[in-house]
Amino acid sequence: QAAIHKAVMAATDKFIMVELGGGYAARTVDAHAALQRLNAMPSHYVVVEAEPTHFDWALRHMRTNGIDPGDHWMINALVGTSTKPKVFLLGEGFYGNGVVADGDTEQFIANLRGGQAAADVLRELMLTGRCGVQQPYDVENGTRLFDFGFVSSMPLTDILQPLDHVDLMDIDIQGGEKDVLPAAMDAIDRKVRRIHLATHGAGLHKDMWDLFFEHGWMCGVDYAPNSRHHSDWGSFENSDGILDLVNLDLSQRRR
């Protein structure tokens, strides 16, 4: 919320926000509400979400809060480094959905059992783009069933290319930041003023901090993942890490 407030207050002329791993577009809706209340101006939102049901929820959530998705860019795809489709964990109500790594794909194939024959999976993939399995996963509210299937992929450079600037980019892509952000740093440096980044694992948190430091960005908030922190608003524990990053080159220059 602090990152949203700062981005909204610093915006001029037109507020542009990109939400990667958008889920049900929670941060986009929050930013829109803050913009109307604190610094009203034209706005443009880009929401990128790969899980199909979560994408539908994003459309509904925006409409419910007075935002017409048709006026903005809604991308039902994975943000990646190429346009090659990726195998993705499909299932609603869990926001840890991510790309299935090559090694995990091999393990999945080896684990096919009983009535779920390889021929059945291949048939489902050819007809629907999904494996047609019901794989149980333990999540916070119990055990849920998930499928695997191909989703479209779009490079971050392609997403940013048509945009004149980005006031805020919110990123929560379940470890994908490891590949996606280094590959797009030239475009990010040119266009993005502020990033609110969720990191996944201590090593990756440090790598992201180092990446942006090397590119001359300032880190305003740094909460390591899987830790307990103390702030002006009290103590809290987090699983994802949090980095609030400011592009010094752009923040010192008014559009």
Side-chain angles (χ1 to χ4, degrees):
Q1 293 294 338
I4 288 173
H5 181 270
K6 292 175 182 177
V8 162
M9 296 307 294
T12 58
D13 301 327
K14 185 175 186 179
F15 179 77
I16 300 179
M17 177 176 173
V18 176
E19 187 173 5
L20 305 177
Y24 61 95
R27 277 79 64 188
T28 294
V29 169
D30 286 349
H32 183 74
L35 189 70
Q36 305 315 304
R37 185 171 66 253
L38 301 172
N39 192 15
M41 67 180 68
S43 58
H44 181 64
Y45 303 110
V46 181
V47 179
V48 185
E49 170 56 43
E51 208 292 318
T53 301
H54 295 169
F55 182 77
D56 288 342
W57 290 352
L59 300 176
R60 188 189 313 172
H61 189 209
M62 292 174 71
R63 291 190 190 102
T64 299
N65 287 276
I67 310 169
D68 183 353
D71 294 336
H72 304 277
W73 295 352
M74 307 299 294
I75 303 173
N76 185 195
L78 174 81
V79 58
T81 58
S82 74
T83 56
K84 181 181 178 180
K86 297 287 187 179
V87 180
F88 194 80
L89 184 64
L90 300 171
E92 71 277 5
F94 170 61
Y95 293 98
N97 309 62
V99 174
V100 179
D102 292 342
D104 293 336
T105 302
E106 293 298 324
Q107 187 61 51
F108 167 71
I109 293 171
N111 287 347
L112 290 175
R113 292 288 186 271
Q116 199 66 52
D120 296 330
V121 172
L122 179 59
R123 184 178 300 106
E124 286 295 321
L125 279 173
M126 294 295 290
L127 293 174
T128 69
R130 295 182 176 225
C131 292
V133 303
Q134 293 296 304
Q135 182 72 35
Y137 277 81
D138 292 331
V139 297
E140 289 184 1
N141 59 349
T143 301
R144 299 182 66 87
L145 298 175
F146 293 89
D147 198 353
F148 299 90
F150 285 103
V151 297
S152 298
S153 181
M154 181 176 291
L156 180 53
T157 51
D158 288 1
I159 295 168
L160 294 176
Q161 192 277 329
L163 300 173
D164 174 65
H165 70 274
V166 176
D167 292 288
L168 176 63
M169 187 158 67
D170 185 280
I171 307 171
D172 188 359
I173 52 177
Q174 304 304 315
E177 61 268 23
K178 173 183 64 176
D179 299 313
V180 169
L181 298 184
M185 281 307 298
D186 286 347
I188 292 170
D189 286 341
R190 289 197 310 272
K191 297 193 174 189
V192 182
R193 298 185 70 187
R194 179 181 292 270
I195 289 177
H196 185 263
L197 172 62
T199 61
H200 301 83
L204 190 47
H205 184 89
K206 180 182 182 302
D207 289 345
M208 292 296 101
W209 196 101
D210 290 344
L211 173 68
F212 282 91
F213 178 79
E214 289 167 2
H215 280 254
W217 288 57
M218 179 183 73
C219 182
V221 172
D222 179 359
Y223 292 127
N226 302 308
S227 305
R228 184 166 190 83
H229 303 280
H230 303 281
S231 74
D232 294 340
W233 301 276
S235 299
F236 66 95
E237 294 182 1
N238 61 322
S239 53
D240 289 359
I242 301 170
L243 292 173
D244 182 27
L245 302 155
V246 178
N247 187 337
L248 292 178
D249 284 344
L250 296 185
S251 67
Q252 295 169 359
R253 178 192 323 163
R254 290 185 67 84
R255 293 187 303 277

